[in-house]
Amino acid sequence: MVQRDDLTEREFEVLVGIAAGETNREIAERLFITTETVRGYSKQIYSKLGVSNRTQAANVAREAGWLKATGLASAVETPHLEMRGLPTYDSSFVGRKQEILNLIALIDDPQVRLLTLIGPGGTGKTRLAVEVATRVRYQFPDGVCFVPLNETITDDETLLLEIQRSLGFNTASPAKLFERLRDKHLLILFDNFEQSLAQNHIVQKLLETVPNVMIMVTSQASLNLSGEWVRRIGNLISSDEENPSTFEDAQKLFVDRVRQVDPAFTMEANAECVAEICRIVNGMPLALELAAAWLKNLTCGDVLNELRHNLDILSVTADDLQTRHRGLEAVFEHTWNLLPEAEQRVYKRLSVFVGEFGLEAAQKVAGATLPTLASLVDWSLIFKTRTGLYHVHPLLRNYAEMKLTVRQHGKQSQVAFAVMSLMRGDFSRVESIAEDFLADSSDEKNQDRGFALAVMGVIAGAHENHEQCLQLCAASKLMTENNPVVVFFSNLGLAIGYVGIGDYAGAKVALHRAVISIQALQTMAFIPLLLPPTALVLAYGGQRESASVILGMVAEPKDMLPGWLAEWTSFRHLPAMLETEIGEARYAEQWAIGASLAPQNAIAYITGWNNAD
């Protein structure tokens, strides 16, 4: 007689699926193998068991008692396995294979009873959790229950009633919920728990009173319960990946959704366009789906062009989506309205930073504290990098910037808004804020007035008022030397002023000191502001090819320096001068090199000047 040990582990896993009534495709998806491989294992199983079909194989396994041997197979013996309320989707699930494997391994671990998936809205937490729950459903004899939460569930009673409703229990006596669940062996999936964090003690009580319950949660913030296992769910593209070949899952998702509206669409014919769309939205699943929906009426190139200039194209999608998922702005507003006011103030100021930033930058520009930053990390609105720095998702930063533009709360927000406006070239707004700072006699430490003098000096330099630029920035340096933000802008202005009067040695020193401030702040966001004076110093110092490279870097952040290009005459005339000096072809070649580099590459030129000290 055949023994259980005669089957390999993989053959037994396939047999469990056969006995549970899974199709070959479902078995293949659960085990991450092909349907053809499932067929091969099935033939081997039939041969070893001496049977010729699925029904016979399942009967042999049941009669031998094998299906009671493991938690994975035990649900096969339950004739009415429940999948209460679990959403179904018309579209296929794409990617995240390793994350699925990791989450299933955690659910298999008896130490893990509360697993929370956290991440910002739009990253696909719910879809991933449902996919995992579907794949592990056979581990839970009493089934899987999906509990959707919304803004109406704000107290213990409404949450208990929602749990009972989702379980199909009589909702008349919520106090008896825990008693009725005591002997159940099931998985409960709570969705969008960020709206009910004050009711986290109910989850704790479930874990304490129902020994065989497993709880999985999706939320934008952790529940902060003992025994909670937290896994952050990010986008399909890692924030530190730049190679388009690593965008495979994001590209597959985009193409899959496009084919719902344009069956003739192919990746081969649109590879470059698709990769760029994935990069712009940083692999955010919701953004990819919203962008893909537009290909019903637009070409891939049209959608890409819109995304480069305006994210409003991501504000509308199919009518059957939840209201808060009808666009990225709606998703952001949902999160924004849940944030405490202190976190709101800091977060909109952090929109100044394009790329990574350090603690001091967050403190000096955004008025952040460590607890506030920790809270924003917990809400998945900012992220910690491997280097210990912070960064804001580009799409979320865009909406935070909109909040800063609409209203500035207090001086700290005005500083952030002035920095953003200066970087955008909106000099009139900067001057208005600076004038208010200079008129305020309450600034005992001169921090805000020092900042005002520095930014007004920068603007004067951009208008070719070099002597005024130098005077204002020198006064700013005398006023404050302990704030790296103020020191940066005063040295930026000095560099511009020195370039204007032909003192390139003085400009090098100022640029070098500006870089030191940037390194203290641990942010690359201010680097683009150093590119114009750096290019001029290089050009007039005889390094014209290097200057051409810097001009290429200026072109890359396309919306970052309109003020410089429009206002600063010296810089505006530089491209024509370089083309004449080194030749049009050589200039174009060096410019193209610069356009392929990140702005921070300019630091190597600045720190390499031997006479900078």
Side-chain angles (χ1 to χ4, degrees), residues 289-338:
E289 295 198 3
L290 294 170
W294 279 101
L295 271 80
K296 182 178 181 180
N297 302 306
L298 301 174
T299 67
C300 189
D302 290 336
V303 172
L304 175 57
N305 188 55
E306 287 291 326
L307 286 172
R308 281 172 169 164
H309 296 92
N310 193 340
L311 293 176
D312 288 348
I313 195 172
L314 301 177
S315 297
V316 180
T317 187
D319 293 336
D320 61 349
L321 287 183
Q322 297 178 37
T323 300
R324 69 182 186 86
H325 278 177
R326 287 184 181 164
L328 286 181
E329 186 172 359
V331 171
F332 179 80
E333 284 295 331
H334 166 73
T335 307
W336 180 263
N337 292 330
L338 294 172

Side-chain angles (χ1 to χ4, degrees), residues 422-551:
L422 183 63
M423 296 176 73
R424 298 292 186 194
D426 189 350
F427 293 160
S428 62
R429 293 191 183 220
V430 181
E431 290 172 326
S432 175
I433 292 171
E435 288 168 1
D436 288 343
F437 282 179
L438 291 173
D440 186 356
S441 60
S442 65
D443 180 20
E444 297 179 359
K445 295 183 179 180
N446 293 326
Q447 296 288 331
D448 297 324
R449 277 182 278 179
F451 173 77
L453 291 172
V455 294
M456 289 184 73
V458 170
I459 294 172
H463 290 154
E464 306 286 336
N465 297 323
H466 303 125
E467 293 296 339
Q468 183 183 14
C469 167
L470 293 170
Q471 291 171 3
L472 289 169
C473 291
S476 171
K477 287 196 71 173
L478 289 173
M479 198 167 285
T480 177
E481 281 286 350
N482 61 353
N483 186 320
V485 175
V486 177
V487 172
F488 169 79
F489 283 103
S490 63
N491 278 300
L492 171 64
L494 289 172
I496 293 170
Y498 286 133
V499 166
I501 64 173
D503 183 355
Y504 300 113
K508 287 180 178 181
V509 172
L511 287 168
H512 188 262
R513 290 174 175 167
V515 166
I516 292 173
S517 298
I518 286 174
Q519 291 168 335
L521 292 166
Q522 293 182 298
T523 177
M524 297 293 105
F526 297 158
I527 287 290
L529 296 174
L530 298 182
L531 298 181
T534 300
L536 285 162
V537 168
L538 288 168
Y540 288 101
Q543 296 176 267
R544 294 179 177 83
E545 292 190 355
S546 295
S548 303
V549 171
I550 299 293
L551 288 184

Side-chain angles (χ1 to χ4, degrees), residues 183 224 267 290:
D183 297 324
N224 288 320
M267 179 67 186
L290 294 170

